[in-house]
Amino acid sequence: MDWGRLTGPGGVLCSLSLLCVILDGVLGATGGEIEHHLEMGRKLLAAGQLAEALSHYHSAVEVDSKNYLTYYKRAAVFLAMGKSRSALPDLTRAVQLKPDFLAARLQRGNILLKQGNAQEARDDFEAVLRPSPEYADAREQLARARDLEELQEDARVAYHRADYGAAISVLERVIEISPWDPEMRELRADCYLRTGDPQKAIQDLAPATRLRSDNRAAFLKISLLHYSLGEHHESLNQVRECLKLDQDDKECLGHYKQVKKLSKQLDSAEELIRAERYRDAIEKYEGVMKADPHVPYYTNLAKERICFCLVKVNAATEAIDVCSEAHQRDPRNARILRDRAEAFILNQDYEKAVEDYQEAQEFDADSNDIREGLERARKLLKISHKRDYYKILGVSRAANKQEIIKAYRKLAQQWHPDNFQLEAEKKEAEKKFIDIASAKEVLTDPEMRQKFDAGEDPLDPENQQQQGGGHNGHAWPFSFNPFESGGSFHFKFQ
């Protein structure tokens, strides 16, 4: 505008009038636009469309940054969305623009109280009560703020004198009043750790990660706790959250590499077990023990799984040694006792197998595997008092058919009755020869051997009668010629 033209009489009045008209139009449009955004925000908020409502309140604030009501209403939307940290600056701005706006002061005090800022919350509630002493909500909240100050002090005193149980008890009341206070949750988590309860510590640290804008320390601590408990997958998840906040964080990056390496080894070992590649799995678990010997859980797990794998490859003696070491490290682990019981069965030490299964059942009474294993071990123990076909032939329970036939031939030649002259010796040889032949018959027949391994003697007359069978009491209760495997044996029983 050319201000030099505003010098003539009447001209100045005319130009100023025009300017006023223009300003009135702009202000009118602005006011109308604000009302539109506020009305739309109100309707959308009532409909539960919070993101859309927030967008309109953002626009209202941009149009007029001096309107205390727009800040207050936007704060209400933030609170409805669970974003108290975002609501707090808006409430503070509303109070700055209108210091006697009691609703904003009360709402800000409520947030500050939940965040654990007892002194600041008390200041707001007192400011509300000065002009309105009858305000019941403010009086109640002021009393809570005063209680909170005392409880916070009591909790810190108990913590510093190492009375962690008392501190936890006080902190429970503190967190009830101020659930959004990360400091008090972290303090209680530390108390739980000092009293040996890492799981509860994790439960307190998890919300603490959300109560601070950058809480990498809490994410790392949670990851370390999961790692120490053997929860390596969850440990990875938590340390990744730390790295999302800062991918170059030295502590988080170092821990991430360690967990990722060990987690990969553990997953690979379990895949090998599922593929029945037990020797390869043993090698992997030996690598796990070397990767992190400082965390007892992983050494214990590796020993347990190596014990399991050795049983699967029928390495009875080695399995008993490793299982016993694993049991010593983790004496209440029912799986280790189960696997050692199976190793004892492989070693034909049925009494110890029964003992291990009984102890395992004390720790896991609902396990079908343990219950069935105990029944089988008891049957095998009972049979062993009669005839143990593996012991008769002197072979292991893992022996194959070729090994069984080889052992049979050797013993059959040794105990053939024709090799003995004295009557007593001949009768003893006949008895042993029949046992040897019976053992060969059972252990070379897959079905009969399976029954025997399950704790049932297929040649026991009692079992045959229970199954509706039976035989005529002949010395050979099966269609088998003990001399068919070779050798010109000739003898007759007396």
Side-chain angles (χ1 to χ4, degrees), residues 7 38 54 69 76 113 115 121 143 159 195 237-238 241 262 308 458:
T7 57
L38 291 176
L54 185 61
L69 203 56
L113 185 64
Q115 290 181 341
Y159 177 82
T195 55
N237 292 337
Q238 295 299 322
E241 292 299 320
L262 185 129
F308 171 82

Side-chain angles (χ1 to χ4, degrees), residues 259-326:
V259 181
K260 186 178 180 182
K261 177 183 177 182
L262 185 129
S263 185
K264 186 176 180 181
Q265 285 179 302
L266 289 169
D267 291 343
S268 176
E270 287 303 308
E271 286 176 11
L272 289 168
I273 287 176
R274 286 191 290 272
E276 299 183 359
R277 294 169 56 187
Y278 300 113
R279 286 291 180 187
D280 292 336
I282 290 171
E283 188 177 336
K284 279 288 181 186
Y285 272 115
E286 287 171 346
V288 167
M289 289 190 286
K290 293 176 184 176
D292 196 340
H294 307 296
V295 180
Y297 176 88
Y298 297 106
T299 300
N300 292 354
L301 175 64
K303 293 285 184 184
E304 175 191 334
R305 299 306 276 160
I306 291 172
C307 156
F308 171 82
C309 292
L310 288 170
V311 171
K312 289 295 185 181
V313 297
N314 299 316
T317 303
E318 192 179 355
I320 290 169
D321 290 342
V322 174
C323 294
S324 296
E325 184 182 350

Side-chain angles (χ1 to χ4, degrees), residues 15-57:
S15 297
L16 288 175
S17 299
L18 179 60
L19 180 60
C20 291
V21 170
I22 293 170
L23 288 174
D24 286 343
V26 171
L27 291 172
T30 301
E33 188 178 354
I34 291 172
E35 287 301 321
H36 167 72
H37 287 306
L38 291 176
E39 179 61 20
M40 287 299 298
R42 184 189 65 77
K43 289 180 178 178
L44 291 166
L45 180 59
Q49 296 174 260
L50 302 182
E52 292 82 356
L54 185 61
S55 177
H56 280 283
Y57 285 122

Side-chain angles (χ1 to χ4, degrees), residues 393 395 399-408 443-444 449:
L393 294 183
V395 296
N400 58 37
K401 186 173 182 179
Q402 185 178 359
E403 292 169 331
I404 290 167
I405 292 174
K406 182 179 179 181
Y408 160 73
L443 298 183
T444 55
R449 183 175 181 178

